[in-house]
């Protein structure tokens, strides 16, 4: 089942040079494939979709770090996809791949919430450079080093979680996990998304890892005497919940 939750991606993903995931929605397969091959060499993970409707479904999962979006697509055009992303408040940055003849589309695209555009034919190296700029810009905007949720405060620079006078330092995957949960607050985040963002892909082994790390974090939140608990949302994943006394 495709996940429809809006999951915000932690910007530690950039700092730690995760394999960032790029969705390529482009019906010209040879072009999409050439882009994909180049991006893989730059350590990005890629997914190619050549159909507009399928591309929209995939884009709406929110699991991508960036979307490359063609305009003329079978079944649903790129502008409609952009509209859906906005309506669903998916904040994944989008770069539009537009044909030279559709020059007015560029403006239209930027007004519709695209982050950048590139005119076909383009040099793939230029596209890669643009991708990096857009990702960096997004990261700069969102790189707030302290995240607050209820009585918890997480410092992303040094991994300190504090609650009133209590403080614990976490790092590595625990830090990434808590960061994602805190950014998403009471909204459930699926195990698939967590496994994907933290371990790079999802599989049964990674789901077990998620569970193990969730249990570590639960113990730490208890030690901190925080009102915030990690709730298991059956069939979905986890969310933060505030226990009122
Ligand atoms: Ca096309």
């Amino acid at each position: 089942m495709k996940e429809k939750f809006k999951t915000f991606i932690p910007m530690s993903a950039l700092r730690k040079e995760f394999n960032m995931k790029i969705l390529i929605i482009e019906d010209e397969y040879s072009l999409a494939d050439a882009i994909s091959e180049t991006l893989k060499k730059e350590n990005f993970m890629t997914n190619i979709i050549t159909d507009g409707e399928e591309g929209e479904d995939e884009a709406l999962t929110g699991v991508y770090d960036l979307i490359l979006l063609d305009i003329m697509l079978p079944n649903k055009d790129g502008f409609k996809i952009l509209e859906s992303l906005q309506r669903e408040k998916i904040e994944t940055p989008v770069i539009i791949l537009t044909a030279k003849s559709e020059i007015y589309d560029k403006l239209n695209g930027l007004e519709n919430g695209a982050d950048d555009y590139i005119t076909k034919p383009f040099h793939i190296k230029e596209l890669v450079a643009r991708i990096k700029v857009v990702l960096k810009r997004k990261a700069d905007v969102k790189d707030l080093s302290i995240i607050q949720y209820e009585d918890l405060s997480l410092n992303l620079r040094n991994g300190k979680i504090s609650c009133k006078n209590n403080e614990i330092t976490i790092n590595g995957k625990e830090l990434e996990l808590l960061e994602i949960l805190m950014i998403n607050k009471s909204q459930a985040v699926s195990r698939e998304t967590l496994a994907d963002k933290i371990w790079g892909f999802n599989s049964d082994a990674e789901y077990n890892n998620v569970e193990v790390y969730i249990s570590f974090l639960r113990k730490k939140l208890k030690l901190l005497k925080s009102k915030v608990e990690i709730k298991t949302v059956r069939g979905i994943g986890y969310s933060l919940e505030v226990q009122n006394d």
Side-chain angles (χ1 to χ4, degrees), residues 25-27 50-57 59 67-85 87 94 96-97 102 104-105 108-109 112:
I25 309 177
E26 165 63 72
D27 62 336
T50 54
D51 175 86
E53 270 179 19
E54 281 173 37
E56 178 186 50
D57 281 350
I67 299 167
L68 299 177
L69 181 63
D70 182 25
I71 294 301
M72 297 295 284
L73 289 162
N75 295 318
K76 187 160 272 188
D77 72 44
F79 291 129
K80 292 250 163 62
I81 297 173
L82 269 181
E83 277 168 29
S84 303
L85 287 170
R87 194 170 50 240
V94 176
I96 289 185
L97 313 175
E102 306 162 320
Y104 80 97
D105 287 349
N108 204 347
N112 279 311

